[in-house]
């Protein structure tokens, strides 16, 4: 059944792409290898579609293809290292808003939560949704005890649709990767796999529920942030019940004024909280746009929608901390060292040039307020650095960059005079002070001591094993020469030239010896064999000369 649904969905995808004028791309992709020929149906398209800009047609096609493609496009809009800047800017416009699904909300709640009657648990449930997106829609409700809640209801069939679309995306990228070297270089298949893992997590409401509770534990003692309550009794993988948040969006300046709050102070508070999520907990909100960040009447920051979160292991968090300190101290060499440690893959061709690029960014941020900083220029510079040095970062780095980019947009609305280094310096000083405490130094000493103990224990055993293999002739050396085919070709050409030179010299020397012997039939006083030797030597020398000229 899954295979049939996949084929059916591929046919729908191709119809939409054809509708928006992508027949040529379809025909060149050899996509017919993975689907039956009967599903390659071309639809006629209107003149208006062809008059649209190519990037606009890409966005329109993605929006019509559905949630998986929309979210993939939104993810690519933050990857300046993967797609051209003009397409990236167009994908920023992708909208996840869709018409609300007409459902009997009370019946749906009873079926999903296995309740006999809604009235036994809720005073009321709004039939009209408060908001609707591609994966779920939200309804307001009131519990029997008067608690205001929201019910996040997953759309019917969305799991199967997303699973099918993700499978198609992986198949398509595999096909493109086998044909185009450029697809391999940008690691697009790895990007798709990472995106698939993230989207599967976002589809799971149980995962989101656990994310909310983990976030609440991290900030249980903070007075600057408020985390919505979770009602597990009315939550499962189809329904999520959370406390209703009465507040204003963080970029609603008039709303903040009604609460008698200073916009600049609210922004600074939000930046501090995000830094704490990243640098202290290593667990941060992946999508902090204004629709997901509210402020209540107490001035507390309220994050909502915890479907997608970024997570780091402690070692990576320490490296990010180090990079922040390198950034504040304009330490380009230290920054490069930490980039090498953090990167999954890197090939830094010119470290001096990378240092100059880093100093240029340092200077740009130090001397300009947020209003004057051209983020597009900085992203393009970062894009060039990543591509030129084949640097592939872990997934969380790109999630973090997206979060920072979103907060930068919010910062422009609330305080265009914000100086980023000055804003994060107090938090960085706090981190630096924590690293000098006795408890932290003791913890580091224990960790390093444990590592040293493991090394001292393992090395002698590994050395004995190595010597035993050498004694019994079981020691083998596995090696791989990069570009071995090219190396073989070079040696082959060198060998040919060397052979030609030896033959030319041999015939020339032989002809000279015969010329002195005057044996056999003579032409102009020289034996005919000597003439033949000189002619062959001359021809071989000419061929060798042509080889040398052509190889320059």
């Amino acid at each position: 059944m899954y295979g049939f649904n996949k084929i059916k969905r591929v046919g729908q995808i191709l119809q939409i792409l054809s509708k928006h004028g992508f027949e040529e791309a379809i025909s060149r992709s050899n996509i017919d290898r993975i689907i039956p020929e009967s599903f390659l149906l071309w639809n006629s398209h209107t003149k208006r579609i062809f008059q649209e800009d190519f990037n606009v047609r890409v966005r329109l096609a993605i929006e019509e293809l559905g949630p998986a493609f929309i979210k993939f496009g939104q993810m690519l809009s933050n990857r300046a290292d993967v797609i051209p800047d003009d397409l990236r800017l167009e994908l920023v416009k992708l909208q996840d808003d869709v018409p609300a699904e007409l459902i009997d909300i009370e019946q749906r709640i009873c079926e999903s939560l296995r309740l006999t009657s809604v009235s036994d648990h809720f005073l009321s449930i709004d039939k009209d949704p408060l908001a609707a997106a591609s994966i779920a829609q939200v309804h307001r409700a009131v519990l029997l005890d008067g608690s205001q809640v929201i019910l996040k209801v997953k759309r019917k069939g969305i799991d199967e649709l997303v699973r099918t679309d993700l499978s198609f995306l992986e198949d398509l990228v595999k096909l493109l990767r086998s044909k185009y070297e450029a697809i391999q270089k940008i690691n697009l298949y790895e990007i798709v796999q990472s995106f698939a893992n993230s989207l599967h997590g976002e589809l799971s409401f149980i995962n989101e529920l656990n994310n909310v509770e983990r976030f609440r534990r991290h900030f249980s003692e903070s007075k600057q942030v408020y985390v919505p309550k979770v009602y597990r009794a009315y939550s499962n993988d189809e329904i999520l019940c959370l406390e209703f948040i009465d507040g204003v969006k963080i970029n609603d300046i008039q709303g903040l004024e009604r609460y008698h709050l200073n916009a600049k102070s609210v922004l600074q508070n939000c930046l501090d909280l995000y830094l704490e999520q990243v640098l202290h907990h290593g667990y941060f909100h992946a999508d902090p746009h204004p629709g997901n960040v509210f402020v209540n009447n107490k001035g507390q920051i309220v994050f909502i929608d915890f479907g997608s979160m970024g997570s780091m292991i402690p070692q990576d968090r320490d490296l990010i901390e180090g990079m922040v300190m390198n950034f504040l101290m304009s330490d380009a060499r230290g920054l490069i060292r930490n980039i090498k440690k953090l990167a999954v893959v890197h090939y830094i061709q010119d470290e001096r040039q990378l240092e100059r690029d880093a100093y240029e960014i340092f200077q740009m941020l130090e001397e300009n307020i947020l209003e004057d900083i051209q983020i597009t220029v900085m992203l393009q510079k970062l894009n060039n650095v990543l591509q030129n040095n084949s640097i592939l970062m872990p997934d969380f780095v790109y999630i973090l960059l997206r979060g920072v980019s979103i907060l930068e947009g919010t910062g422009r609305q609330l305080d265009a005079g914000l100086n980023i280094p000055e804003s994060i310096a107090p938090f960085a000083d706090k981190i630096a002070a924590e690293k000098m405490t006795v408890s932290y130094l003791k913890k580091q000493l224990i960790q390093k001591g444990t590592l040293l103990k493991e090394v001292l224990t393992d090395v002698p055993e590994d050395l004995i094993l190595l010597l035993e293999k050498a004694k019994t002739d079981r020691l083998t050396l596995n090696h791989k020469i990069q570009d071995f085919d090219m190396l073989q070709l070079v040696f082959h050409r060198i060998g040919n030239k060397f052979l030609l030179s030896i033959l030319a010299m041999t015939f020339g020397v032989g002809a000279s010896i015969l010329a002195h012997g005057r044996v056999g039939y003579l032409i102009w006083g020289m034996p005919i064999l000597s003439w033949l030797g000189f002619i062959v030597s001359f021809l071989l020398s000419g061929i060798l000369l042509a080889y040398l000229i052509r190889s320059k």
Side-chain angles (χ1 to χ4, degrees):
M1 186 65 180
Y2 170 67
F4 175 77
N5 288 338
K6 180 178 178 180
I7 293 173
K8 182 180 177 182
R9 177 58 178 162
V10 168
Q12 294 171 349
I13 291 169
L14 295 180
Q15 286 182 344
I16 293 171
L17 291 177
S18 175
K19 171 183 173 182
H20 290 278
F22 292 100
E23 287 94 336
E24 182 181 3
I26 295 172
S27 63
R28 289 185 177 184
S29 68
N30 290 336
I31 200 171
D32 54 321
R33 295 179 184 177
I34 60 175
I35 59 170
E37 185 177 353
S38 59
F39 281 90
L40 295 175
L41 304 175
W42 315 118
N43 282 0
S44 60
H45 48 269
T46 64
K47 184 178 180 181
R48 181 185 65 81
I49 292 296
F50 270 119
Q51 290 175 340
E52 292 279 10
D53 176 75
F54 173 78
N55 296 323
V56 173
R57 283 191 282 128
V58 171
R59 176 177 59 80
L60 291 174
I62 289 175
E63 286 181 344
E64 193 169 344
L65 284 170
F69 291 91
I70 290 173
K71 290 184 178 295
F72 186 60
Q74 290 172 333
M75 184 272 294
L76 287 179
S77 71
N78 297 286
R79 293 296 299 266
D81 59 314
V82 173
I83 60 175
D85 202 51
D86 53 348
L87 177 58
R88 185 184 63 80
L89 292 175
E90 185 64 34
L91 294 184
V92 170
K93 302 175 185 177
L94 282 170
Q95 298 295 318
D96 194 27
D97 297 328
V98 296
E101 187 178 21
L102 298 177
I103 59 174
D104 185 336
I105 184 62
E106 294 189 0
Q107 182 181 352
R108 180 72 182 277
I109 294 297
C110 286
E111 290 176 355
S112 298
L113 299 178
R114 296 181 179 179
L115 304 178
T116 54
S117 173
V118 167
S119 60
D120 292 338
H121 304 272
F122 296 89
L123 289 177
S124 65
I125 299 177
D126 289 356
K127 294 182 179 180
D128 296 326
L130 185 65
S134 55
I135 290 178
Q137 59 190 46
V138 175
H139 294 257
R140 286 192 64 174
V142 182
L143 297 178
L144 288 180
D145 62 1
S147 299
Q148 301 278 334
V149 299
I150 60 103
L151 294 168
K152 188 173 181 180
V153 183
K154 188 184 295 185
R155 288 180 178 269
K156 284 281 190 181
I158 192 66
D159 291 286
E160 179 66 22
L161 177 63
V162 169
R163 188 166 67 124
T164 303
D165 286 354
L166 290 176
S167 177
F168 171 77
L169 271 175
E170 290 183 355
D171 289 343
L172 180 61
V173 172
K174 283 180 184 177
L175 192 63
L176 295 174
R177 185 177 61 173
S178 66
K179 293 189 62 178
Y180 302 107
E181 186 178 355
I183 299 296
Q184 297 179 21
K185 287 184 177 180
I186 63 175
N187 302 292
L188 187 58
Y189 183 68
E190 289 74 14
I191 291 172
V192 169
Q193 285 187 312
S194 171
F195 165 73
N197 292 334
S198 174
L199 189 52
H200 281 308
E202 195 171 341
L203 281 171
S204 171
F205 282 3
I206 296 299
N207 179 66
E208 183 172 353
L209 185 150
N210 292 332
N211 289 341
V212 177
E213 293 189 334
R214 179 177 175 182
F215 198 84
R216 171 183 283 276
R217 289 195 300 271
H218 287 173
F219 291 94
S220 59
E221 298 180 2
S222 174
K223 296 181 180 179
Q224 306 301 319
V225 64
Y226 184 83
V227 183
K229 295 177 183 177
V230 174
Y231 295 86
R232 278 189 173 270
Y234 304 112
S235 300
N236 57 24
D237 208 39
E238 300 292 326
I239 306 287
L240 184 61
C241 185
L242 296 168
E243 177 185 1
F244 174 76
I245 297 300
D246 187 12
V248 297
K249 293 181 179 180
I250 191 171
N251 64 341
D252 183 357
I253 297 178
Q254 293 181 345
L256 295 176
E257 289 176 349
R258 287 197 302 270
Y259 287 162
H260 305 291
L261 298 173
N262 181 273
K264 293 183 180 181
S265 298
V266 170
L267 175 60
Q268 184 63 56
N269 190 16
C270 184
L271 290 176
D272 289 344
L273 287 171
Y274 203 71
L275 285 170
E276 185 174 352
Q277 292 175 46
V278 175
L279 301 180
H280 186 69
H281 300 291
Y283 186 73
F284 55 95
H285 200 291
D287 195 16
H289 64 77
N292 285 338
V293 185
F294 284 74
V295 182
N296 62 21
N297 56 8
K298 297 180 181 179
Q300 294 174 305
I301 304 296
V302 186
F303 290 90
I304 65 171
D305 194 353
F306 292 85
S308 181
M309 302 291 289
S311 182
M312 295 180 275
I313 62 175
Q315 293 86 342
D316 288 340
R317 188 182 66 212
D318 290 341
L319 289 173
I320 293 293
E321 283 185 2
M323 292 171 71
V324 171
M325 301 304 293
N326 298 146
F327 163 76
L328 291 175
M329 295 187 292
S330 298
D331 180 6
R333 291 187 178 181
L335 182 63
I336 293 172
R337 282 196 301 272
N338 283 321
I339 286 176
K340 287 179 178 179
K341 293 177 182 178
L342 186 62
V344 177
V345 177
H346 71 81
Y347 179 64
I348 299 176
Q349 300 174 339
D350 186 350
E351 287 202 13
R352 296 293 294 173
Q353 181 59 46
L354 186 55
E355 281 187 42
R356 286 189 284 270
D357 292 338
Y359 278 121
E360 188 174 336
I361 295 175
F362 294 157
Q363 189 174 10
M364 184 186 303
L365 290 173
E366 287 175 359
E367 297 179 358
N368 295 281
I369 59 176
L370 189 59
E371 187 177 24
D372 298 328
I373 295 174
Q374 297 183 5
I375 297 298
T376 54
V377 175
M378 292 181 59
L379 288 175
Q380 188 59 48
K381 180 171 286 295
L382 176 61
N383 175 30
N384 293 336
V385 169
L386 293 174
Q387 287 187 342
N388 293 339
N389 298 283
S390 300
I391 298 174
L392 177 65
M393 288 294 191
D395 298 336
F396 75 82
V397 172
Y398 300 106
I399 296 174
L400 178 58
L401 288 175
R402 179 175 186 269
V404 171
S405 176
I406 292 172
L407 287 177
E408 177 270 336
T410 304
R412 285 185 183 276
Q413 298 176 57
L414 296 180
D415 181 13
L418 178 72
N419 184 290
I420 295 177
E422 289 182 1
S423 299
I424 67 176
F427 195 87
D429 291 341
K430 178 182 176 183
I431 291 174
E434 288 178 354
K435 289 184 178 294
M436 297 305 295
T437 60
V438 175
S439 59
Y440 179 83
L441 294 175
K442 181 181 178 181
K443 180 181 177 182
Q444 290 294 305
L445 184 61
I446 292 173
Q447 288 180 348
K448 301 301 181 185
T450 303
L451 179 61
L452 180 60
K453 176 181 176 294
E454 291 176 355
V455 171
L456 292 176
T457 302
D458 293 342
V459 168
E461 294 179 357
D462 292 340
L463 186 57
I464 291 171
L465 181 62
L466 187 66
L467 291 174
E468 287 178 352
K469 287 187 175 182
K471 286 180 181 180
T472 56
D473 294 329
R474 291 187 294 115
L475 183 64
T476 58
L477 179 63
N478 296 320
H479 65 281
K480 179 182 179 182
I481 301 177
Q482 291 186 345
D483 300 325
F484 184 67
D485 293 339
M486 181 62 70
L487 193 61
Q488 280 185 313
L489 181 60
V490 170
F491 280 129
H492 180 68
R493 289 175 177 173
I494 291 174
N496 287 341
K497 294 173 185 176
F498 181 71
L499 180 61
L500 284 172
S501 63
I502 293 295
L503 289 173
M505 184 177 65
T506 301
F507 277 102
V509 171
S512 298
I513 294 173
L514 289 172
H516 289 287
R518 296 180 179 276
V519 177
Y521 186 74
L522 301 179
I523 299 177
W524 293 334
M526 193 164 63
I528 188 170
L529 290 176
S530 183
W531 280 107
L532 291 173
F534 279 126
I535 291 171
V536 173
S537 178
F538 177 76
L539 290 174
L540 292 173
S541 298
I543 294 172
L544 179 61
L545 182 62
Y547 256 126
L548 294 173
I549 293 173
R550 191 166 54 182
S551 63
K552 287 185 178 180

